[in-house]
Structures are given as C-alpha cells and as structure tokens.
Amino acid sequence: MEAVMKYLKDHEMLNRILQFFFSTLIALAVLFIILRVSRKLFLKLRSKKTGVNVVFGEKIFRFVVIFLCIMWIIMSNDLTKSFGQSLFQSTAVIAAIAGFAAQSVLSDLICGIIISSTKPFAVGDRIELESGIAGVVKDMTLRHVVLQGLDTQTYVIPNSKVNSQYVKNMSYRNDLRSVDFHFSVSYDTDPTFAAGVIRQAIMESPYSVPGKHASPGAAPDYAPVYFMAFRDSCLDMNTTGYFRPDTPTERFRDDINTRVWKALAANHIEIPYNYMNVLVGQRDS
C-alpha cells in the first residue's frame, strides 16, 4: 500500500485522474440512488394525484439533481476545478448568449411552471385547444405537453403554445369524460319526442355512462336532451354524453352518432340538410 501511495505521489497527474474517477463514481452512485428513490415517491404521488404539477415537478427535480451532481463533480476535483471556476466567472456572458439563443426554451419552461401551478388539466384529461387540436394528456415535459390523438397520432405541443390558447377540458376535476353532441331534426318534428329518442339511443350505448350533473345527493343520471335553437332548415337538439377515461373518444362519438342516426330513422324523424331554392322566371321586357 505504501508503495502504491508513493507511486501516486510521484505521479501527480495520475493521482488527480484517479481521484476524479472515484469521485465521479461516488457522485453517480448517489445520483442513481436519489433518482431511484424519487422515482418511487413520485410514482406513489401520481397514483393518488394525476395533476400536471406532479409530473412537471418530477421533471424539474430530476433536472436540478442531475445539474447539481455535474457541478459537484466539476468543482470537487483539482483536475476540473479551474475549469468550473472559469465557467462561473463567465456566467454573465454565458447567460446573455444562452438567453438570446434559447428564448423559446425559457419561455416553454416558464409556461410549464405556470401550467403546473394553475393546473387547468390533469394527466388523463381530454382537452381541446383553441387551434382545434384535441387529445388525451399523456405527459408534460419541461418543454412540451404530450397529447394522444386518434389511433397512433401523438401531438407534442410547446408549453408556451398551450399556455397562450384557451383550453376546453372535457373532464375537469371529474373522473369521467364528456362530449357535446348536436343533432339536427326537421321542423315538423316534435322536439320532445325527438329528445326522448336521442336520449334513449345514448343510454343504450355500451360506452355511455350516467354523468354527474345531477343535484347534490341525487344519483347520477344521463344528461337530458335540450332543444337549443331554430336553425335555417332544422331544429338544433343538444346533449352531453359521458364515458369512462379508458374509452377512446373517437369510438364513443362513432357509436353514439351511429345509434342516434339509426334511432331517428327508425322513428321516421327526418335529418334535414341545407338546401337552396332557386326560382327561374322570365324577365319582363
């Protein structure tokens, strides 16, 4: 052992390299343990809460821990300490360059903090953005919100884009999702009868479930169908359908629309279409 110590003392550069190697191994081992424990803790939190603040908080925590680990490795060893000191001394210049070059990154990060603190949606919620993009919230990174669309379509949207638009949340603070339906029937239809036909068709769907719109203390029930407006060539009937989060929205829409169409046809209720009357006559000379 004494011979090894003497050899390392005589070869200072090798000694520094070995010190850097072992300190790096220790730091990485500690980092691995911290990330492993934090992963389990955040998984436990996510099993109880699905808010994006938990998901975003986990990403921030991992980023900070990894950054501190790298800085500790650099500053704790003589081999790289001078590099770390020069790096800190030029922080102002680096910050100015990075701030100019990474404005969009910083904007997405700040908007991510705003979204995670205000919590307009949670993981598993189906949302629709002002731009028309819709999907189920699958994840939120430091820069993006990830939405699962139809089939294999996945939308990766910058946090700043999401934060600048209004968000329509189909399952805000609710364990069910919902979809608004508009059905058109002809003017000669009894709206009360049409509402009953539409509601019955929705209730018969295997994907439809009672909603939570009922008064406090009352059992959940299916949403009523409303006669909303007189349109140019039809009566507008509107209702809300509720379904479980594990049911794809597109499948639910397809099933409800198909059932309502068949039910209206079976009850001889006409579904009108837009048309234009064109009068052809002879012009007086």
Side-chain angles (χ1 to χ4, degrees), residues 38-47 54 57-58 61:
S38 66
R39 178 63 175 170
K40 292 182 178 180
L41 291 175
F42 277 107
L43 283 175
K44 186 176 293 186
L45 282 175
R46 291 178 67 172
S47 65
V54 177
E58 181 181 3
F61 179 80

Side-chain angles (χ1 to χ4, degrees), residues 49-162:
K49 298 180 180 179
T50 56
V52 290
N53 57 326
V54 177
V55 179
F56 191 76
E58 181 181 3
K59 301 293 192 307
I60 287 288
F61 179 80
R62 291 172 63 88
F63 175 79
V64 171
V65 170
I66 293 173
F67 176 77
L68 292 176
C69 178
I70 294 174
M71 294 309 301
W72 185 85
I73 292 173
I74 293 175
M75 298 301 296
S76 64
N77 192 275
D78 294 337
L79 191 65
T80 55
K81 190 173 184 179
S82 59
F83 170 74
Q85 290 175 341
S86 63
L87 182 65
F88 280 116
Q89 290 173 357
S90 59
T91 299
V93 178
I94 295 175
I97 297 174
F100 179 78
Q103 289 182 4
S104 61
V105 176
L106 294 175
S107 176
D108 291 332
L109 179 60
I110 293 172
C111 289
I113 295 173
I114 294 174
I115 293 172
S116 64
S117 60
T118 56
K119 296 179 282 189
F121 48 79
V123 175
D125 285 359
R126 181 177 176 83
I127 65 173
E128 182 176 337
L129 302 179
E130 183 179 0
S131 59
I133 295 175
V136 177
V137 180
K138 288 296 183 183
D139 193 10
M140 183 177 179
T141 68
L142 298 181
R143 288 204 59 191
H144 304 97
V145 173
V146 182
L147 300 182
Q148 181 64 54
L150 179 64
D151 297 329
T152 59
Q153 296 177 0
T154 301
Y155 303 101
V156 182
I157 309 168
N159 293 332
S160 57
K161 297 293 184 181
V162 176

Side-chain angles (χ1 to χ4, degrees), residues 102-244:
Q103 289 182 4
S104 61
V105 176
L106 294 175
S107 176
D108 291 332
L109 179 60
I110 293 172
C111 289
I113 295 173
I114 294 174
I115 293 172
S116 64
S117 60
T118 56
K119 296 179 282 189
F121 48 79
V123 175
D125 285 359
R126 181 177 176 83
I127 65 173
E128 182 176 337
L129 302 179
E130 183 179 0
S131 59
I133 295 175
V136 177
V137 180
K138 288 296 183 183
D139 193 10
M140 183 177 179
T141 68
L142 298 181
R143 288 204 59 191
H144 304 97
V145 173
V146 182
L147 300 182
Q148 181 64 54
L150 179 64
D151 297 329
T152 59
Q153 296 177 0
T154 301
Y155 303 101
V156 182
I157 309 168
N159 293 332
S160 57
K161 297 293 184 181
V162 176
N163 191 58
S164 63
Q165 303 181 54
Y166 73 73
V167 178
K168 181 179 181 182
N169 192 333
M170 284 76 163
S171 46
Y172 185 68
R173 295 183 179 178
N174 197 330
D175 56 359
L176 297 178
R177 294 182 190 157
S178 64
V179 173
D180 290 334
F181 289 97
H182 292 265
F183 300 107
S184 300
V185 297
S186 61
Y187 267 104
D188 59 355
T189 303
D190 179 357
T192 303
F193 177 67
V197 171
I198 293 171
R199 189 168 187 268
Q200 184 62 34
I202 293 176
M203 292 172 62
E204 292 175 355
S205 170
Y207 306 114
S208 182
V209 297
K212 293 191 175 180
H213 60 279
S215 58
D221 196 5
Y222 292 88
V225 180
Y226 299 101
F227 173 24
M228 294 298 293
F230 293 94
R231 301 300 180 189
D232 291 340
S233 58
C234 67
L235 306 179
D236 184 18
M237 312 295 294
N238 178 225
T239 188
T240 301
Y242 296 90
F243 59 103
R244 296 182 180 86

